[in-house]
Amino acid sequence: MVHRLTRRDARRIAVRAQLLDASRPTDLLEVIRHLCLVQVDLTAAVAPNIDLVLWSRLGAAYRPQELDALLDEGRIVEYAGLLRPGEDIALFRARMAAWPGEGTTWRTGQHRWLTANQACHDDILATLRSEGPTAARDLRDTCVVPWRSSGWNNNRNVPGMLDLMEARGEIAVSSREGRERLWDLADRVYPTTDVVDAEQAVAERDRRRLTSLGIARASMTKPPGEPWDVGAAGEEAVIEGVRGTWRVDPAQLGAPFRGRAALLSPLDRLVVDRKRLTEIFEFDYQLEMYKPAAKRRWGYFALPILYGDRFVGKLDAASDIDTGLLRVNAVHQDVKFTAAMARAVDGEIDSLAAFLGLRVTRAAPADAR
C-alpha cells in the first residue's frame, strides 16, 4: 500500500516526529533517544546548537547541567561530532571493526596514511592508556608521513589520526573543556554493549532515523556525516505536488496535531535537509554566516521560526554576554503575522532570553518581507 499525503500531512508528520508540536516532552534522555542524535557545533552567535535543539523541544524543562550529568554517566556519548544515546554505540561497533570497509579512494588513502604512521597511532594509545583523558594539543606528533587534504588542514597530523582512531572504535571523546575535546580509550567511555550485525545495524539505524524524522526519502545523495535517507524503513508514501516516493513512519499516520511557535537552530534536523525543507515546507532558507555581511538577507545566524506546521519567518538575533542582552536585530516575516502569531513568537523570544540568562533588546520592529 502506498500512502497518499498532502503537503500539510507531511509537514505535520515531520513536526510531530521532531517533538516540535504543542505536546512538549519533559525527559531530556528520552528526547535524545527519540531524536537519535544532536549535532555538536559550538557556534554561539545565539547559543550552541546542542542547547538550541534541546531548549526548542523541552523549553524551561531543559537544564544543561542535566546533559552534563548524562555525559559523565555515559548515558549520552559523543561520536563522529554528534551526541547519541550511549546504547546506540552497539549499532556502530560492526562498522568500527570493519573500518575502512568497502568505500572510496579517500577511505583507502586514509587507511594507507594510518598504516604509514602506525608508530604515532601506537604512541597515542599508550599515552591515553597511561594518562587518561587528553587534549589533541597535548599528544606528541610522531607521524613520519604528513596528513594531506584539500589544504586548510594540511599537516594536522594528530587531529587527523584521532578522527581515524575514533572511526575504528579505539578512542572516544571523553569530555570537553570549552571548545576542546578530551580523548580517552573507547572502552573507558562507551558503555558495554553487544555488537549488532552490520546489516541489521544499518536497518535499525534507518528505522530509528525515520522515527525521528517522520517522513524522508528512501535514498538520496549522502551528505557528510549522518544520512538523511532511510532505506526500506517504514512504508511507502507519495506527497501531493512533490516528485518521487517517500518513506513514512506508520505510527505517525492519522495522529492528531496541535502546533505551537518554535525558534530553531539553523542546524536543527527539521531544517538541515534543505531539499526536504523546500519540497515539503516550501521554505526559503540558508545559513548566511559564511556570506559577506552585505549579501545577507536574514542575518548572520538567523533562526527559522516555526508556527504550527509552517515556517513563517526568520529571527535575526545575537547574544551579547558582556552586556547581558539578547539583541533582536529583526524578525523577518515570510507571511504577515497575525496578532496571535506575533504574541507566540515574542513569547518564544522572551523564553529563549530567560533560558540564556539575558534581557531582550529589540533593535527594530518586526518587518514584513
Short mmCIF file of all heavy atoms in Angstrom, two decimals, residues 315-316 327-332 346 361-367:
data_model
loop_
_atom_site.label_atom_id
_atom_site.label_comp_id
_atom_site.label_asym_id
_atom_site.label_seq_id
_atom_site.Cartn_x
_atom_site.Cartn_y
_atom_site.Cartn_z
N LEU A 315 14.38 34.73 12.61
CA LEU A 315 14.76 35.65 13.69
C LEU A 315 16.25 35.95 13.57
O LEU A 315 17.09 35.05 13.69
CB LEU A 315 14.47 35.01 15.04
CG LEU A 315 15.04 35.75 16.27
CD1 LEU A 315 14.35 37.09 16.45
CD2 LEU A 315 14.91 34.89 17.52
N ASP A 316 16.58 37.21 13.35
CA ASP A 316 17.97 37.66 13.35
C ASP A 316 18.25 38.20 14.75
O ASP A 316 17.79 39.27 15.13
CB ASP A 316 18.16 38.76 12.30
CG ASP A 316 19.58 39.33 12.29
OD1 ASP A 316 20.45 38.73 12.95
OD2 ASP A 316 19.81 40.36 11.64
N ARG A 327 20.12 40.50 21.65
CA ARG A 327 19.79 41.58 20.71
C ARG A 327 18.97 41.03 19.55
O ARG A 327 19.44 40.19 18.79
CB ARG A 327 21.07 42.22 20.18
CG ARG A 327 21.93 42.85 21.28
CD ARG A 327 23.11 43.62 20.71
NE ARG A 327 23.94 44.16 21.76
CZ ARG A 327 23.69 45.30 22.42
NH1 ARG A 327 22.61 46.01 22.09
NH2 ARG A 327 24.50 45.72 23.37
N VAL A 328 17.74 41.50 19.43
CA VAL A 328 16.88 41.13 18.32
C VAL A 328 17.03 42.20 17.25
O VAL A 328 16.54 43.32 17.39
CB VAL A 328 15.41 41.00 18.77
CG1 VAL A 328 14.52 40.73 17.57
CG2 VAL A 328 15.28 39.89 19.80
N ASN A 329 17.76 41.84 16.19
CA ASN A 329 18.00 42.81 15.12
C ASN A 329 16.81 42.94 14.19
O ASN A 329 16.52 44.02 13.68
CB ASN A 329 19.24 42.40 14.33
CG ASN A 329 20.46 42.31 15.22
OD1 ASN A 329 20.73 43.20 16.02
ND2 ASN A 329 21.21 41.22 15.09
N ALA A 330 16.13 41.81 13.95
CA ALA A 330 14.96 41.83 13.07
C ALA A 330 14.20 40.52 13.21
O ALA A 330 14.79 39.47 13.50
CB ALA A 330 15.37 42.04 11.62
N VAL A 331 12.89 40.59 13.00
CA VAL A 331 12.07 39.40 12.81
C VAL A 331 11.55 39.48 11.38
O VAL A 331 10.68 40.29 11.07
CB VAL A 331 10.90 39.34 13.82
CG1 VAL A 331 10.04 38.11 13.54
CG2 VAL A 331 11.42 39.33 15.25
N HIS A 332 12.13 38.68 10.52
CA HIS A 332 11.75 38.69 9.09
C HIS A 332 10.51 37.82 8.91
O HIS A 332 10.53 36.63 9.20
CB HIS A 332 12.89 38.15 8.24
CG HIS A 332 14.16 38.94 8.35
ND1 HIS A 332 14.32 40.17 7.74
CD2 HIS A 332 15.31 38.69 9.02
CE1 HIS A 332 15.54 40.62 8.01
NE2 HIS A 332 16.15 39.75 8.79
N ASP A 346 6.93 36.35 20.03
CA ASP A 346 7.54 37.18 21.08
C ASP A 346 7.71 36.39 22.37
O ASP A 346 8.71 36.54 23.08
CB ASP A 346 6.67 38.42 21.35
CG ASP A 346 6.82 39.48 20.26
OD1 ASP A 346 7.77 39.38 19.46
OD2 ASP A 346 5.98 40.40 20.21
N THR A 361 16.56 42.98 23.97
CA THR A 361 16.50 44.34 23.44
C THR A 361 16.19 44.23 21.96
O THR A 361 16.83 43.47 21.23
CB THR A 361 17.82 45.11 23.66
OG1 THR A 361 17.71 46.41 23.06
CG2 THR A 361 19.01 44.39 23.05
N ARG A 362 15.17 44.96 21.53
CA ARG A 362 14.72 44.88 20.15
C ARG A 362 15.20 46.11 19.41
O ARG A 362 14.76 47.22 19.69
CB ARG A 362 13.21 44.73 20.07
CG ARG A 362 12.73 43.36 20.53
CD ARG A 362 11.21 43.28 20.62
NE ARG A 362 10.73 41.91 20.77
CZ ARG A 362 10.70 41.24 21.93
NH1 ARG A 362 11.12 41.85 23.04
NH2 ARG A 362 10.26 40.01 21.98
N ALA A 363 16.09 45.88 18.43
CA ALA A 363 16.68 46.98 17.69
C ALA A 363 15.71 47.56 16.68
O ALA A 363 15.84 48.70 16.26
CB ALA A 363 17.97 46.53 16.99
N ALA A 364 14.75 46.76 16.26
CA ALA A 364 13.83 47.22 15.24
C ALA A 364 12.54 46.44 15.37
O ALA A 364 12.55 45.30 15.84
CB ALA A 364 14.43 47.01 13.85
N PRO A 365 11.42 47.01 14.92
CA PRO A 365 10.16 46.26 14.95
C PRO A 365 10.19 45.16 13.91
O PRO A 365 11.01 45.17 12.99
CB PRO A 365 9.12 47.33 14.61
CG PRO A 365 9.87 48.35 13.82
CD PRO A 365 11.24 48.38 14.41
N ALA A 366 9.26 44.20 14.07
CA ALA A 366 9.15 43.14 13.08
C ALA A 366 8.89 43.76 11.72
O ALA A 366 8.15 44.71 11.57
CB ALA A 366 8.00 42.21 13.46
N ASP A 367 9.55 43.18 10.69
CA ASP A 367 9.39 43.72 9.34
C ASP A 367 8.77 42.67 8.45
O ASP A 367 9.09 41.51 8.53
CB ASP A 367 10.73 44.17 8.76
CG ASP A 367 11.69 43.03 8.58
OD1 ASP A 367 12.03 42.39 9.61
OD2 ASP A 367 12.07 42.75 7.43
#
